[in-house]
Amino acid sequence: MRAVVSVIGKDMVGILAKVSAECENANMNVIEVSQTLLQDMFAMIMLIDITKGNTTLADFAAHMENVGKQSGLTIHVMHEESREFYGLERLWRDCPAIDLDLAHPET
């Protein structure tokens, strides 16, 4: 069984390490990570294996939400089957792209 962890917030040192450490503490293995910076905003999606977790997914999700609040981040944990059920990709695929025309600080 797998779950998806999403993290969004102002970029700072140690976000990936903090979230990964919480997964380790819950005995949930990180399978894949995608992360990016949108100017000063950090965005990350993790796919984790929850098969051998030492807590329920609901408790882990609540814990991660609290970790996020304490760190100034928004952290959501969703069971993979829920993600598929709600069809998030289907909901967003028809949305128009918006060009924000954001200037990069280094330019």
Side-chain angles (χ1 to χ4, degrees):
M1 294 188 336
R2 302 183 307 184
V4 177
V5 179
S6 64
V7 181
I8 299 173
K10 188 150 178 71
D11 187 35
M12 65 182 121
V13 173
I15 297 173
L16 176 60
K18 180 185 300 271
V19 175
S20 296
E22 294 298 336
C23 291
E24 179 186 18
N25 291 339
N27 202 40
M28 297 181 183
N29 189 41
V30 176
I31 300 170
E32 192 170 339
V33 176
S34 178
Q35 64 181 17
T36 191
L37 285 176
L38 307 168
Q39 290 195 355
D40 64 341
M41 295 300 292
F42 177 87
M44 176 173 68
I45 299 175
M46 300 176 98
L47 183 63
I48 60 173
D49 181 347
I50 61 174
T51 306
K52 297 179 182 177
N54 58 24
T55 186
T56 67
L57 187 60
D59 287 346
F60 181 68
H63 173 71
M64 292 306 291
E65 185 176 340
N66 288 330
V67 168
K69 286 179 182 177
Q70 293 171 2
S71 305
L73 302 166
T74 301
I75 301 178
H76 293 290
V77 179
M78 181 181 288
H79 195 281
E80 184 178 41
E81 291 175 2
S82 297
R83 184 192 60 78
E84 291 171 3
F85 175 79
Y86 289 108
L88 299 179
E89 291 84 0
R90 177 185 48 80
L91 290 173
W92 291 102
R93 75 172 168 232
D94 295 332
C95 292
I98 299 172
D99 182 8
L100 298 177
D101 193 32
L102 300 172
H104 293 279
E106 61 273 0
T107 59

Short mmCIF file of all heavy atoms in Angstrom, two decimals, residues 7 15 22 28 34 77:
data_model
loop_
_atom_site.label_atom_id
_atom_site.label_comp_id
_atom_site.label_asym_id
_atom_site.label_seq_id
_atom_site.Cartn_x
_atom_site.Cartn_y
_atom_site.Cartn_z
N VAL A 7 3.82 18.64 0.05
CA VAL A 7 4.37 19.66 0.95
C VAL A 7 4.50 20.96 0.16
O VAL A 7 5.09 20.97 -0.92
CB VAL A 7 5.76 19.25 1.49
CG1 VAL A 7 6.30 20.29 2.44
CG2 VAL A 7 5.70 17.88 2.13
N ILE A 15 13.65 20.96 4.60
CA ILE A 15 12.28 20.47 4.45
C ILE A 15 12.26 19.00 4.08
O ILE A 15 11.57 18.18 4.71
CB ILE A 15 11.50 21.30 3.40
CG1 ILE A 15 11.37 22.75 3.85
CG2 ILE A 15 10.11 20.69 3.17
CD1 ILE A 15 10.75 23.68 2.81
N GLU A 22 10.34 12.07 9.42
CA GLU A 22 9.03 11.70 9.97
C GLU A 22 8.53 10.39 9.34
O GLU A 22 7.93 9.57 10.03
CB GLU A 22 8.02 12.82 9.78
CG GLU A 22 8.33 14.09 10.55
CD GLU A 22 8.34 13.91 12.06
OE1 GLU A 22 7.68 12.97 12.57
OE2 GLU A 22 9.01 14.71 12.73
N MET A 28 7.76 4.21 7.40
CA MET A 28 7.17 4.32 6.06
C MET A 28 8.29 4.71 5.10
O MET A 28 8.94 5.74 5.29
CB MET A 28 6.03 5.33 6.06
CG MET A 28 4.89 4.90 6.95
SD MET A 28 3.52 6.05 6.92
CE MET A 28 2.43 5.31 8.13
N SER A 34 9.52 14.12 -5.88
CA SER A 34 9.62 15.18 -6.89
C SER A 34 9.50 16.50 -6.15
O SER A 34 8.57 16.68 -5.37
CB SER A 34 8.51 15.03 -7.93
OG SER A 34 8.58 16.08 -8.87
N VAL A 77 -1.36 14.23 3.51
CA VAL A 77 -1.08 12.82 3.25
C VAL A 77 -2.37 12.18 2.77
O VAL A 77 -3.41 12.33 3.40
CB VAL A 77 -0.58 12.09 4.52
CG1 VAL A 77 -0.31 10.62 4.22
CG2 VAL A 77 0.66 12.77 5.08
#
